[in-house]
Amino acid sequence: MCWIFAIIILIMIPMGIGVYRRLQRKHLVGPLKHIASKRQREELEDMLKSLYHNLHGTTHPTTPLITAIANEVHIKPQKAEQLIVTLRQFGLVQPNDYHLTADGCAYALGLIRTHRLYERYLAEHTGYAPEEWHRMAHRMEHRIDAKDIARIDKQLGYPAADPHGDPIPTISHTITQPSDGLTLHELSAGNYLRVMHIEDSNPSVLGKLMGIGLFPGALIRVTEAKPNRTSFLFEGEMHQLSHQEAEALTLKTAENLPAEDRPDSSGAFIPENVKRLTELPLAHEAVVSGIDVNCRGSARKRLLDLGFVRGSRVSIYLINPLGNPTAYRVRGAGIALRDNQARYILFNPKTLRTL
């Protein structure tokens, strides 16, 4: 009898795997959902998205199109040509050139929408590092279904852009392309600038820019502009970028500056008018201006609940001999914060007074 059960199990396992894969594909959308091979479907979707960016979006390849796309998708040019033939068979690419059909554009925008919404979700509701967002969103754009992405969109409050400033396509597959901006090294010293977009293609460069705390809408003031480096002031701190790092920022001249002692609608302050709590001198007291935009979700709520709200007076209560954490006095209570928490709290240096 045992051998009969063994045979039945050997028959049922492949059937069960097939059913599971069909159930997975059931929640996917678009003509490619019927492709049984997950790897092949993801390659086709990556190819479709790359074609959209290069021919219908804002990317302008400096190498032959097929070579540029093959490099982006990490395949050989011959394989890229084969994938395009398959996309034509599904009616997603025009028969006589590489432009997408209306269905192809809609499919590509759906992938882009999922990717950018999931990046926004990772930024606001998880503790993942910014350089991880793109990789994780790329994986999930092929797997998450329409119902889940609609739920995420609602949870986030229907955002218009991802954490880097890229516009999120609407559910009806329309997108507003951002206006052209300036790069940091093109500008002269003394200018107040708004960050419009932060390029996320290079993880190490992205990690540095996000580590500084830059965000779409951030306000900076250039202090030095040279061909090989650019220096600027942001939230009371001086920073220096190489030419490559500066190229990753798209900016525009700041037409309207926020009030002297409060943030604007983007959460940006005049760079000279705030400092981070980690810069608070011993035996001094200052007034809290606000909390950095990059402090989100439960971490932001905790700081607010602890009393670090706009207008609160704060001073150093006790210094740890080992340097971390530091105890601060705010609203009559002693609160211990590590430096990576305290740097999110901004104070007005003009309110400093000696205790």
Side-chain angles (χ1 to χ4, degrees):
M1 293 294 292
C2 292
W3 64 270
I4 296 177
F5 283 112
I7 292 174
I8 293 173
I9 290 172
L10 289 173
I11 294 172
M12 293 298 293
I13 286 175
M15 292 176 61
I17 292 173
V19 170
Y20 172 72
R21 287 177 175 171
R22 285 195 295 273
L23 287 173
Q24 279 189 314
R25 298 198 300 273
K26 179 181 178 182
H27 298 288
L28 301 174
V29 295
L32 302 182
K33 70 177 181 178
H34 300 295
I35 295 176
S37 170
K38 182 178 71 173
R39 179 178 178 180
Q40 183 185 9
R41 176 171 53 79
E42 291 183 5
E43 285 180 340
L44 288 166
E45 289 179 341
D46 285 342
M47 176 62 62
L48 192 68
K49 196 170 71 166
S50 185
L51 282 169
Y52 177 85
H53 284 309
N54 282 277
L55 294 174
H56 301 264
T58 56
T59 302
H60 304 291
T62 56
T63 57
L65 179 64
I66 293 300
T67 303
I69 291 174
N71 291 337
E72 288 178 16
V73 186
H74 307 294
I75 57 176
K76 294 181 178 180
Q78 296 87 340
K79 179 66 178 293
E81 290 280 13
Q82 293 171 7
L83 292 175
I84 290 173
V85 169
T86 304
L87 290 172
R88 285 196 179 107
Q89 293 171 352
F90 280 97
L92 301 175
V93 175
Q94 298 285 357
N96 299 320
D97 58 31
Y98 297 117
H99 285 82
L100 304 187
T101 62
D103 288 343
C105 284
Y107 197 130
L109 285 170
L111 292 168
I112 295 168
R113 169 178 166 80
T114 300
H115 182 105
R116 293 177 180 176
L117 276 171
Y118 200 77
E119 278 194 325
R120 186 70 179 253
Y121 171 79
L122 291 172
E124 296 192 8
H125 293 280
T126 73
Y128 288 104
E131 52 268 33
E132 292 291 312
W133 298 343
H134 180 77
R135 179 184 61 81
M136 297 181 69
H138 178 262
R139 185 170 67 89
M140 291 303 295
E141 74 186 39
H142 301 294
R143 293 165 170 77
I144 195 167
D145 62 49
K147 289 183 179 179
D148 284 339
I149 203 62
R151 187 159 52 246
I152 289 173
D153 192 20
K154 182 179 180 180
Q155 180 182 357
L156 294 173
Y158 307 103
D162 72 3
H164 314 298
D166 290 309
I168 297 174
T170 66
I171 195 170
S172 58
H173 303 130
T174 60
I175 187 170
T176 302
Q177 296 295 352
S179 57
D180 292 335
L182 302 167
T183 54
L184 192 54
H185 69 274
E186 295 175 316
L187 302 161
S188 57
N191 290 2
Y192 283 103
L193 305 167
R194 291 273 185 192
V195 175
M196 296 173 59
H197 177 256
I198 304 172
E199 179 56 47
D200 61 351
S201 58
N202 187 319
S204 61
V205 172
L206 176 65
K208 177 168 181 177
L209 297 177
M210 300 299 283
I212 290 172
L214 296 174
F215 58 90
L219 188 64
I220 66 173
R221 181 170 64 81
V222 178
T223 58
E224 182 185 45
K226 294 185 176 181
N228 61 336
R229 72 174 185 272
T230 305
S231 301
F232 63 92
L233 182 69
F234 171 65
E235 292 187 346
E237 294 181 328
M238 289 297 303
H239 300 281
Q240 190 175 93
L241 298 179
S242 67
H243 179 84
Q244 180 190 22
E245 292 162 345
E247 281 281 320
L249 291 176
T250 305
L251 309 109
K252 64 178 179 181
T253 303
E255 298 176 353
N256 298 309
L257 296 179
E260 183 177 339
D261 62 342
R262 63 182 62 238
D264 60 14
S265 58
S266 299
F269 291 87
I270 295 177
E272 299 90 341
N273 288 356
V274 289
K275 283 186 174 292
R276 300 186 185 277
L277 190 57
T278 48
E279 300 296 318
L280 182 65
L282 187 63
H284 284 74
E285 182 184 65
V287 175
V288 174
S289 295
I291 296 178
D292 191 290
V293 167
N294 293 293
C295 185
R296 302 178 174 95
S298 59
R300 187 181 191 89
K301 184 177 184 300
R302 178 175 181 272
L303 291 178
L304 292 172
D305 290 344
L306 289 173
F308 293 98
V309 297
R310 177 178 166 76
S312 296
R313 293 194 169 274
V314 60
S315 60
I316 294 176
Y317 175 61
L318 185 64
I319 292 180
N320 188 329
L322 300 178
N324 214 0
T326 300
Y328 298 92
R329 184 180 296 279
V330 61
R331 293 183 174 266
I335 306 295
L337 297 176
R338 295 191 173 276
D339 287 349
N340 60 356
Q341 299 170 308
R343 67 177 280 102
Y344 284 129
I345 301 166
L346 306 173
F347 70 88
N348 186 342
K350 296 180 181 179
T351 65
L352 272 174
R353 70 175 188 181
T354 304
L355 293 176

